[in-house]
């Protein structure tokens, strides 16, 4: 079974040379730590920077330089700043190659819910609805089940949706799955995790073709 | 040269009244119009609608207006860092219109540019689309979103000149340029106000035509919400 850093490490393998990548808050943010150093990748943060760098060295924090998670960051050589409308033109106009974000639920047809629990938690969608509505390549980083052990990969989402039919790939602590027209196709299992365990933790339709290989991370 | 300068924040906010709709720049606490917010608190205007990506934190930014119960309605994309906000929203004291971030920015830009509405794919098939016109273009579904209408825009820039030209810094730019000229009156506060001729026209982000009033801000706190650092 993977921890959060393990999920990030596996997702980092999906990041290819020349990609502009938008990373969501939480596990997705960790992906930047594991991207191969021999490829060129630029990270976009939707509050208005392309070419986002690591956290600043202590004492060099700049209140005018943050990421979408409101964390202090740095800008790499070649970076640029822009306004929010331009930022979402990059996203809506499909100039960003890969979007990685978290989810509370994903359905077998690729619907995603991650912004609201009615009556309990309403933090808002931020840029998530714009991202999932437009991105061609969306990877969801999430735990396979919630804290109560209930499935988060469902036939249909129970929470208010963020987007419909948009998720392409999911990496969880247990597995890598692809969203197909027929359901969740199990591509890989996490080290030490059996196919039966994945079946038991998944509510939506799970497709298993032959032997499922173990992730290499 | 048309002079846009006002001497202080009180003069800058002249005409602000109860029940008005305001746009406020900023992302989190980054690039918020601190001086204008303080003055709104001092004036005590009530029943206002605020269009702003976030709602500040409990004791800073728009959180200050929330605590005084001055805000009737918030139009935002993300409100996660404010307990008082969540309390007022869940109890029904505060009306909230959650809007996808890119849509929020574009509703400002549309108002600035004279477009009454636009189609966007963001929110299709979700609660956000309820009651809105849906239309298909080239096999993809879009919803119709209308431009904002607001009485005042309060924006914060890094540098500005007396003609209202503005330059922003870092990610403090965010929604500020989109809100310039998007309301009846745009009020810009700047960290450094310079005479005309000192800004390189090549470097101006927002031309002064989109700004009606500009003033030299003071006492900027520029709070950091998440101070994250790495080791050397």
């Amino acid at each position: 079974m993977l921890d959060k850093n393990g999920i990030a490490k596996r997702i980092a393998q999906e990041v290819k040379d020349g990609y502009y990548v938008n990373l969501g808050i939480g596990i997705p943010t960790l992906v930047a730590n594991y991207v191969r150093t021999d490829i060129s990748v630029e990270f976009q943060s939707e509050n208005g920077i392309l070419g986002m760098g690591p956290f600043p060295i202590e004492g060099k924090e700049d209140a005018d330089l943050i990421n979408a998670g409101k964390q202090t960051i740095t800008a790499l050589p070649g970076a640029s700043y822009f306004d929010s409308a331009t930022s979402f033109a990059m996203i809506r106009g499909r100039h960003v190659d890969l979007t990685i974000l978290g989810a509370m639920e994903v359905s077998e047809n690729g619907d995603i819910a991650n912004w609201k629990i009615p009556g309990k938690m309403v933090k808002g969608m931020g840029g998530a609805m714009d991202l999932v509505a437009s991105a061609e390549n969306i990877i969801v980083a999430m735990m396979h089940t919630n804290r109560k052990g209930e499935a988060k990969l469902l036939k249909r989402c129970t929470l208010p949706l963020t987007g419909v039919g948009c998720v392409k790939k999911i990496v969880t602590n247990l597995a890598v799955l692809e969203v197909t027209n027929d359901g969740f196709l199990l591509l890989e299992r996490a080290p030490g995790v059996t196919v039966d365990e994945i079946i038991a933790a998944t509510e939506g339709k799970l497709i298993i073709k032959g032997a499922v290989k173990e992730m290499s991370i | 040269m048309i002079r846009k300068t006002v001497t202080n924040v009180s003069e800058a906010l002249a005409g602000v009244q109860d029940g008005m709709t305001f746009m406020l720049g900023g992302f989190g606490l980054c690039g918020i119009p601190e001086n204008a917010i303080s003055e709104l608190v001092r004036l005590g205007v009530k029943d206002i609608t605020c269009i702003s990506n976030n709602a500040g934190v409990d004791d800073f930014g728009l959180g200050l207006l929330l605590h005084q119960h001055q805000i009737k309605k918030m139009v935002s994309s993300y409100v996660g860092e404010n307990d008082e906000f969540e309390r007022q929203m869940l109890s029904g004291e505060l009306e909230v219109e959650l809007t996808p971030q890119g849509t929020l920015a574009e509703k400002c830009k549309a108002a600035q540019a004279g477009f009454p509405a636009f189609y966007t794919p963001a929110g299709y098939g979700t609660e956000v689309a309820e009651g809105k016109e849906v239309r298909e273009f080239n096999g993809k579904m879009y919803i119709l979103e209308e431009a904002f209408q607001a009485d005042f825009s309060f924006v914060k820039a890094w540098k500005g000149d007396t003609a209202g030209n503005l330059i922003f810094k870092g990610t403090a730019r965010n929604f500020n340029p989109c809100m310039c000229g998007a309301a009846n009156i745009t009020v810009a506060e700047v960290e450094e106000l310079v005479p005309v001729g000192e800004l390189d026209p090549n470097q101006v982000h927002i031309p002064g035509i989109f700004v009606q009033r500009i003033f030299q801000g003071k006492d900027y706190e520029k709070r950091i919400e998440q101070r994250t650092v790495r080791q050397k």
Side-chain angles (χ1 to χ4, degrees):
Chain A
M1 195 185 300
L2 303 177
D3 61 7
K4 288 181 176 179
N5 281 292
I7 295 173
K9 229 182 236 185
R10 176 59 190 82
I11 292 176
Q13 295 171 12
E14 306 286 325
V15 179
K16 304 287 191 289
D17 190 34
Y19 269 15
Y20 291 102
V21 182
N22 179 287
L23 300 176
I25 297 164
I27 300 173
T29 305
L30 301 172
V31 172
N33 300 333
Y34 301 108
V35 173
R36 279 164 49 187
T37 51
D38 60 334
I39 61 174
S40 303
V41 172
E42 277 201 30
F43 292 106
Q44 195 245 24
S45 199
E46 64 267 24
N47 58 315
I49 176 173
L50 251 185
M52 177 171 47
F55 295 150
I57 288 166
E58 195 164 358
K60 297 281 186 189
E61 308 94 304
D62 180 354
D64 292 329
L65 187 46
I66 62 169
N67 63 17
K70 285 110 183 176
Q71 297 171 311
T72 46
I73 52 159
T74 54
L76 295 173
S80 56
Y81 304 122
F82 36 83
D83 66 68
S84 301
T86 305
S87 180
F88 282 90
M90 294 174 190
I91 290 163
R92 219 184 293 105
R94 299 194 161 181
H95 307 288
V96 172
D97 299 290
L98 175 62
T99 291
I100 302 167
L101 77 174
M104 297 195 253
E105 295 177 347
V106 177
S107 72
E108 62 190 31
N109 66 331
D111 294 353
I112 177 173
N114 73 353
W115 70 284
K116 181 178 184 182
I117 302 172
K120 268 192 195 161
M121 185 283 294
V122 189
K123 294 193 183 301
M125 66 291 281
M129 283 194 183
D130 308 270
L131 282 158
V132 301
S134 306
E136 285 170 283
N137 196 358
I138 299 174
I139 301 177
V140 165
M142 67 195 287
M143 303 308 276
H144 211 96
T145 55
N146 65 22
R147 287 197 184 93
K148 291 185 209 156
E150 296 161 342
K152 295 168 74 173
L153 299 174
L154 307 173
K155 286 194 184 306
R156 295 184 69 83
C157 293
T158 62
L159 296 170
L161 296 180
T162 307
V164 293
C166 50
V167 176
K168 300 289 184 289
K169 199 173 250 187
I170 305 154
V171 179
T172 74
N173 52 328
L174 304 183
V176 179
L177 308 105
E178 188 186 324
V179 177
T180 70
N181 290 334
D182 304 313
F184 298 114
L185 175 63
L186 181 58
L187 297 178
E188 298 172 21
R189 55 193 173 76
V193 173
T194 66
V195 171
D196 285 343
E197 285 173 300
I198 296 165
I199 292 170
T202 308
E203 187 219 83
K205 189 178 176 193
L206 193 63
I207 303 159
I208 298 156
K209 288 182 179 166
V212 179
K213 69 170 182 174
E214 187 173 289
M215 292 177 205
S216 58
I217 55 166
Chain B
M1 184 52 64
I2 303 167
R3 276 180 57 86
K4 305 289 176 72
T5 325
V6 292
T7 51
N8 57 44
V9 69
S10 305
E11 206 179 314
L13 268 68
V16 162
Q17 288 170 15
D18 290 352
M20 281 186 163
T21 297
F22 304 139
M23 290 179 170
L24 299 105
F27 184 98
L29 300 179
C30 182
I32 58 172
E34 292 185 21
N35 285 209
I37 291 170
S38 300
E39 182 65 8
L40 288 170
V41 171
R42 197 189 67 80
L43 290 170
V45 282
K46 293 271 192 299
D47 296 324
I48 57 177
T49 296
C50 291
I51 299 165
S52 177
N53 189 54
N54 312 88
V57 294
D58 276 317
D59 63 345
F60 201 56
L62 288 180
L64 299 170
L65 290 170
L66 279 167
H67 265 276
Q68 306 291 329
H69 293 86
Q70 291 177 256
I71 303 177
K72 180 185 72 175
K73 180 179 177 183
M74 277 297 311
V75 182
S76 303
S77 85
Y78 189 82
V79 293
E81 278 88 16
N82 194 316
D83 293 338
E84 176 63 10
F85 185 100
E86 200 157 5
R87 193 196 63 72
Q88 287 189 21
M89 175 169 59
L90 292 173
S91 71
E93 292 163 57
L94 178 70
E95 194 183 334
V96 179
E97 188 176 311
L98 287 167
T99 303
Q101 197 176 137
T103 299
L104 189 77
E106 207 58 30
K107 282 165 75 97
C108 298
K109 282 285 282 189
Q112 179 192 62
F115 292 114
F118 57 91
Y119 288 97
T120 176
Y124 171 74
T126 75
E127 281 179 14
V128 167
E130 282 170 17
K132 291 173 185 162
E133 184 189 322
V134 172
R135 189 162 160 185
E136 184 179 333
F137 294 92
N138 303 315
K140 191 171 162 69
M141 302 307 288
Y142 296 81
I143 62 175
L144 188 68
E145 292 279 6
E146 293 183 12
F148 283 128
Q149 294 188 335
D151 298 292
F152 280 84
S153 258
F154 299 114
V155 303
K156 152 83 196 315
W158 178 41
K159 285 185 183 177
D161 67 16
T162 51
N165 295 304
L166 302 178
I167 295 176
F168 302 89
K169 178 165 164 275
T171 56
R173 192 183 311 192
N174 56 63
F175 284 83
N176 286 299
C178 309
M179 291 176 171
C180 291
N184 293 338
I185 295 174
T186 296
V187 177
E189 55 183 86
V190 294
E191 287 179 52
E192 191 184 347
L193 184 64
V194 299
V196 289
E198 287 205 10
L199 298 182
D200 176 354
N202 286 303
Q203 305 299 327
V204 169
H205 293 138
I206 282 291
I209 193 169
F210 292 118
V211 175
Q212 279 68 50
R213 302 174 188 170
I214 187 168
F215 69 98
Q216 167 76 59
K218 59 178 187 182
D219 302 331
Y220 284 104
E221 276 193 48
K222 293 202 187 185
R223 282 201 206 171
I224 291 173
E225 273 182 77
Q226 306 280 341
R227 188 178 299 274
T228 45
V229 295
R230 72 187 140 109
Q231 302 305 315
K232 277 184 193 177

